[in-house]
Each structure stands twice: as C-alpha cells, then as structure tokens.
Amino acid sequence: MNVSTLKLTLAAAAVLAATQAVAGPVGYGAATTGGGNKAAVNVSSLADMAAKIKAYSGSGGLVLNYTGKFDFASIKDVCAQWKKPAQTLEIKGKNDITIRGAADSSANFGIRIVGDSSNVIVQNMTIGLLQGGEDADSISIEGTSSGKPSKVWIDHNTIFASIKSCPGAGDASFDGGIDMKKGANHITVSYNYVYNYQKVALNGYSEKDTLNAGSLTTYHNNRFENVKSRLPLLRYGKAHIFNNYFGNVDTSGINVRMGAMALVESNYFENVRNPVTSRDSAKLGYWDLRSNFVGSGITWGAPEDGIYANATDWKTTKAYGPTGYNYTASAAAGVKAKAIATAGARTNLAQ
C-alpha cells in the first residue's frame, strides 16, 4: 500500500468513526433502551404518530420513524405563532418507545413525555418555531400525580425558535427547548443543537418543586448557540454537564439554584454572559468546575435584585463527588469543533 492510498484509507476510517450510529446513552440515562430492536413503523404526521402511540399496548417496544416534513419558510410572521393553539405529541403512561426522525424530516410540533412513562428515546428530530407560546415546549419531560418519567434519552435533535420579543408575549413567544420537571429522573441529553432560543433548558418546575431534589441529569456534547438563558436552569437535584459548547449567550448560562449541584466539566464557553451563576432564587446552588475552556467575550453582571453568586474566579464551591457511571470527557479546547460537526439532527448520529 502506497502513502497516498494509506492516507485515503485512514481518512475514510476517520469519517466512518465520526459517523457511526450511537450505541447507547452515557450518563444518568444510560439504562434507556427505548423500543429496542423492534421493527420501525413509519409515521408521516403528528396525528399518525399519536394514533400509533394510542394503539400501542404501553410496553414491549415501539419504534416510530418520523418521515414528515414541515416548511419553516411558510411561517411569514414568527410573532403570530404564540397566538395559535399548541401542537404536541403526548406520551403518557407508555414505556419502551423510540421516536426517531428520518434524515430529511422536520416538525412543527412538540413532544411531551409525562406521568409514569419510562424508557423513552427521542432522536434525530428537527423541531422548530412551535405554535402555542407558553403552552409549547419543544421537548418536555414532566411528572404528574400518576407517576414520574424516568430513563429518558434526548439525543441528536435540532431545536430552534426565535429570540425576537413579540408584542404581548415577550420572552414567552416560544417556551422551553428541553424542559424537565416534577420528579423527572435519570435523563441524558446529548448531541443536541439548540439555537435561537430564549429559554433553553429548565430543570425543576419551581422553587417549591422539591420532587426535583432526587433528579439526576447528564448534559453532554450539546451545542447551545445564539440563546439567552437556562443552560440549564437547575433547581434542586444534580446535573453533570460536560463537553458542551456555549456560544453567544445573552443573559446567563448554567444557573444553579435552590441548593442544586452541578458538575461543570470540560465545556467550551465563548461570548457568554454569566456562564456559571446562581441567581433569581431564594437559595444559591453549588458547582464543581473542572477543566473548562474559557474563551473570549466572557462577561459578568448582577441581577436586578436578590442574592446571587457568579463563578468569576472559576473555582469550585462544593465537591460533586462520583457520578456513579463511566464516561470519558474530551479535552475542552476541542469541544467547539466537535459540537459543530456532531451535534444536532442529520449528522448521521455522529460522535
């Protein structure tokens, strides 16, 4: 084998390695298997998908391959969206489900995993510019009196809205990107691309949501760009946040509140205001900071009122302790390039 052929072979191997399908989740959602190896059922619309889930027994495995397409260019006025009724696919009381978007699919509806639903995967979906304002999260995982969702993997999705402040709605023109609350637990959020969002990721419904005290969430290899806040907003509970890219964040990044604990490891921050902070709650949270890359454009500020703390010295305020799972954090300096290449839908589930 000559040198040229060897170089081409190595390059092809590198591309293959970068685009191999993900074997399974890493982190607190590692036990999630979704619908497993069940044969995929094609669905082309929200109604079709909802009908298949309704007809499903609730356990044993269901894999839905979403093939629908939405023309986002058809939305001429983003500020008209919040006035329209929300469109949401609800998974309630059903387990062992995988929802996976086809390569060129796109959706103008949200996905809500609610109640005693467990073992659910949402992967390779492109979701944007939802109707419904505060009633419409792109992805919502929420406990109810009937139970609390667990073992959930949100992976390789592209989620976007608009940061335009619309008359009559303000920052509620579009609601959460990936929200979890009321006891949702054992969740991994990985390789997602979230952009043009005002409120990216809520974790803990309110200061009274003590059900969230036991929540365990992993955020890794996500790309958060051109957003305002909640990366995540963490009330109570624990979160491991590693190898994520944070770029062009207008208000605040990781906001750890109400005694919550975050392990912030090997992330890449640039052009971020208040990248790691605790504000807007009656009690502060804590952080363990390890090996992060802090680029240009980092600024700090105080909230309008109340107690707060900023990680201006990039020092740990409380040790996180062991995560309880195996993982490998890449060097932070390479996180931006990797996120651009691998995060989001339509990347062939690249890692």
Side-chain angles (χ1 to χ4, degrees), residues 167-193:
D171 68 356
S173 304
F174 299 94
D175 207 38
I178 303 172
D179 285 4
M180 53 195 79
K181 48 204 170 186
K182 299 182 181 179
N185 199 1
H186 289 103
I187 298 167
T188 291
V189 178
S190 60
Y191 291 95
N192 299 284
Y193 177 27

Short mmCIF file of all heavy atoms in Angstrom, two decimals, residues 167-193:
data_model
loop_
_atom_site.label_atom_id
_atom_site.label_comp_id
_atom_site.label_asym_id
_atom_site.label_seq_id
_atom_site.Cartn_x
_atom_site.Cartn_y
_atom_site.Cartn_z
N PRO A 167 -44.66 41.46 20.62
CA PRO A 167 -45.64 42.25 21.39
C PRO A 167 -46.72 41.36 22.01
O PRO A 167 -47.28 40.50 21.35
CB PRO A 167 -46.24 43.18 20.32
CG PRO A 167 -45.18 43.27 19.26
CD PRO A 167 -44.52 41.93 19.24
N GLY A 168 -46.94 41.54 23.30
CA GLY A 168 -47.96 40.77 24.00
C GLY A 168 -47.47 39.46 24.57
O GLY A 168 -48.14 38.85 25.40
N ALA A 169 -46.29 39.01 24.15
CA ALA A 169 -45.77 37.72 24.63
C ALA A 169 -44.40 37.85 25.27
O ALA A 169 -44.07 37.13 26.20
CB ALA A 169 -45.69 36.73 23.47
N GLY A 170 -43.57 38.75 24.76
CA GLY A 170 -42.23 38.93 25.30
C GLY A 170 -41.42 37.67 25.18
O GLY A 170 -41.37 37.04 24.12
N ASP A 171 -40.79 37.25 26.32
CA ASP A 171 -39.95 36.06 26.26
C ASP A 171 -40.76 34.78 26.28
O ASP A 171 -40.20 33.68 26.29
CB ASP A 171 -38.91 36.06 27.38
CG ASP A 171 -39.52 35.90 28.77
OD1 ASP A 171 -40.77 35.86 28.89
OD2 ASP A 171 -38.75 35.83 29.74
N ALA A 172 -42.08 34.88 26.28
CA ALA A 172 -42.94 33.70 26.20
C ALA A 172 -43.44 33.47 24.77
O ALA A 172 -44.35 32.67 24.54
CB ALA A 172 -44.13 33.84 27.14
N SER A 173 -42.86 34.15 23.80
CA SER A 173 -43.23 33.91 22.40
C SER A 173 -43.02 32.44 22.06
O SER A 173 -43.81 31.84 21.33
CB SER A 173 -42.37 34.79 21.48
OG SER A 173 -42.48 36.15 21.84
N PHE A 174 -41.94 31.89 22.58
CA PHE A 174 -41.67 30.46 22.48
C PHE A 174 -41.21 30.01 23.86
O PHE A 174 -40.47 30.72 24.53
CB PHE A 174 -40.59 30.18 21.43
CG PHE A 174 -40.98 30.62 20.05
CD1 PHE A 174 -40.62 31.88 19.59
CD2 PHE A 174 -41.74 29.81 19.23
CE1 PHE A 174 -40.99 32.32 18.32
CE2 PHE A 174 -42.12 30.24 17.97
CZ PHE A 174 -41.75 31.49 17.51
N ASP A 175 -41.64 28.83 24.29
CA ASP A 175 -41.29 28.41 25.65
C ASP A 175 -40.02 27.57 25.65
O ASP A 175 -39.09 27.86 24.91
CB ASP A 175 -42.47 27.69 26.30
CG ASP A 175 -42.46 27.82 27.82
OD1 ASP A 175 -42.10 28.89 28.32
OD2 ASP A 175 -42.81 26.85 28.50
N GLY A 176 -39.96 26.53 26.44
CA GLY A 176 -38.71 25.83 26.66
C GLY A 176 -38.24 24.98 25.49
O GLY A 176 -39.04 24.46 24.71
N GLY A 177 -36.93 24.82 25.40
CA GLY A 177 -36.35 23.95 24.40
C GLY A 177 -36.41 22.49 24.84
O GLY A 177 -37.06 21.66 24.22
N ILE A 178 -35.70 22.18 25.95
CA ILE A 178 -35.72 20.83 26.53
C ILE A 178 -35.94 21.01 28.02
O ILE A 178 -35.02 21.32 28.77
CB ILE A 178 -34.41 20.08 26.26
CG1 ILE A 178 -34.11 20.00 24.76
CG2 ILE A 178 -34.46 18.67 26.86
CD1 ILE A 178 -32.74 19.45 24.42
N ASP A 179 -37.18 20.83 28.48
CA ASP A 179 -37.54 21.09 29.87
C ASP A 179 -37.88 19.79 30.60
O ASP A 179 -38.47 18.87 30.02
CB ASP A 179 -38.76 22.02 29.95
CG ASP A 179 -38.41 23.46 29.65
OD1 ASP A 179 -37.24 23.74 29.31
OD2 ASP A 179 -39.30 24.32 29.74
N MET A 180 -37.51 19.75 31.88
CA MET A 180 -37.88 18.59 32.72
C MET A 180 -38.22 19.09 34.11
O MET A 180 -37.62 20.03 34.61
CB MET A 180 -36.75 17.56 32.74
CG MET A 180 -35.40 18.10 33.12
SD MET A 180 -34.05 16.97 32.71
CE MET A 180 -33.86 17.25 30.95
N LYS A 181 -39.21 18.45 34.72
CA LYS A 181 -39.71 18.97 35.99
C LYS A 181 -40.55 17.94 36.72
O LYS A 181 -40.90 16.89 36.18
CB LYS A 181 -40.53 20.24 35.75
CG LYS A 181 -41.57 20.13 34.65
CD LYS A 181 -41.92 21.50 34.08
CE LYS A 181 -42.76 21.42 32.84
NZ LYS A 181 -42.99 22.71 32.19
N LYS A 182 -40.83 18.27 37.99
CA LYS A 182 -41.76 17.49 38.83
C LYS A 182 -41.35 16.03 38.95
O LYS A 182 -42.15 15.12 38.79
CB LYS A 182 -43.19 17.62 38.30
CG LYS A 182 -43.70 19.05 38.30
CD LYS A 182 -45.14 19.16 37.82
CE LYS A 182 -45.62 20.60 37.81
NZ LYS A 182 -47.00 20.74 37.32
N GLY A 183 -40.06 15.83 39.25
CA GLY A 183 -39.59 14.50 39.56
C GLY A 183 -39.05 13.69 38.40
O GLY A 183 -38.67 12.52 38.60
N ALA A 184 -38.99 14.24 37.19
CA ALA A 184 -38.39 13.53 36.06
C ALA A 184 -36.94 13.18 36.41
O ALA A 184 -36.21 14.00 36.95
CB ALA A 184 -38.45 14.39 34.80
N ASN A 185 -36.52 11.97 36.08
CA ASN A 185 -35.26 11.49 36.63
C ASN A 185 -34.54 10.54 35.67
O ASN A 185 -35.14 9.98 34.77
CB ASN A 185 -35.53 10.77 37.96
CG ASN A 185 -34.31 10.64 38.83
OD1 ASN A 185 -33.22 11.10 38.48
ND2 ASN A 185 -34.47 10.02 39.98
N HIS A 186 -33.24 10.39 35.89
CA HIS A 186 -32.37 9.51 35.12
C HIS A 186 -32.49 9.82 33.61
O HIS A 186 -33.01 9.02 32.83
CB HIS A 186 -32.69 8.03 35.42
CG HIS A 186 -32.27 7.63 36.79
ND1 HIS A 186 -33.16 7.49 37.84
CD2 HIS A 186 -31.04 7.38 37.32
CE1 HIS A 186 -32.50 7.16 38.92
NE2 HIS A 186 -31.22 7.10 38.65
N ILE A 187 -31.99 10.98 33.27
CA ILE A 187 -32.13 11.52 31.92
C ILE A 187 -30.76 11.90 31.36
O ILE A 187 -29.92 12.46 32.07
CB ILE A 187 -33.05 12.76 31.93
CG1 ILE A 187 -34.46 12.36 32.41
CG2 ILE A 187 -33.13 13.40 30.55
CD1 ILE A 187 -35.34 13.53 32.76
N THR A 188 -30.54 11.58 30.10
CA THR A 188 -29.35 12.04 29.37
C THR A 188 -29.79 12.89 28.19
O THR A 188 -30.66 12.48 27.40
CB THR A 188 -28.51 10.85 28.87
OG1 THR A 188 -27.92 10.19 29.99
CG2 THR A 188 -27.40 11.33 27.95
N VAL A 189 -29.19 14.06 28.08
CA VAL A 189 -29.43 15.00 26.98
C VAL A 189 -28.09 15.15 26.25
O VAL A 189 -27.14 15.74 26.78
CB VAL A 189 -29.92 16.35 27.51
CG1 VAL A 189 -30.12 17.34 26.37
CG2 VAL A 189 -31.21 16.18 28.31
N SER A 190 -28.00 14.60 25.04
CA SER A 190 -26.70 14.52 24.38
C SER A 190 -26.77 14.90 22.90
O SER A 190 -27.75 14.62 22.22
CB SER A 190 -26.14 13.10 24.50
OG SER A 190 -26.99 12.15 23.91
N TYR A 191 -25.72 15.54 22.42
CA TYR A 191 -25.52 15.83 21.00
C TYR A 191 -26.70 16.57 20.36
O TYR A 191 -27.04 16.36 19.19
CB TYR A 191 -25.24 14.54 20.21
CG TYR A 191 -23.89 13.93 20.52
CD1 TYR A 191 -23.76 12.93 21.48
CD2 TYR A 191 -22.74 14.35 19.87
CE1 TYR A 191 -22.54 12.37 21.78
CE2 TYR A 191 -21.50 13.79 20.16
CZ TYR A 191 -21.40 12.80 21.12
OH TYR A 191 -20.18 12.25 21.42
N ASN A 192 -27.35 17.44 21.12
CA ASN A 192 -28.43 18.25 20.56
C ASN A 192 -27.89 19.62 20.16
O ASN A 192 -26.95 20.13 20.77
CB ASN A 192 -29.54 18.42 21.59
CG ASN A 192 -30.14 17.09 21.99
OD1 ASN A 192 -30.91 16.49 21.25
ND2 ASN A 192 -29.77 16.60 23.18
N TYR A 193 -28.50 20.21 19.16
CA TYR A 193 -28.17 21.56 18.72
C TYR A 193 -29.39 22.43 18.98
O TYR A 193 -30.45 22.24 18.36
CB TYR A 193 -27.82 21.55 17.22
CG TYR A 193 -27.53 22.90 16.61
CD1 TYR A 193 -27.04 23.97 17.35
CD2 TYR A 193 -27.74 23.10 15.24
CE1 TYR A 193 -26.77 25.20 16.76
CE2 TYR A 193 -27.47 24.33 14.63
CZ TYR A 193 -26.99 25.37 15.40
OH TYR A 193 -26.72 26.59 14.80
#
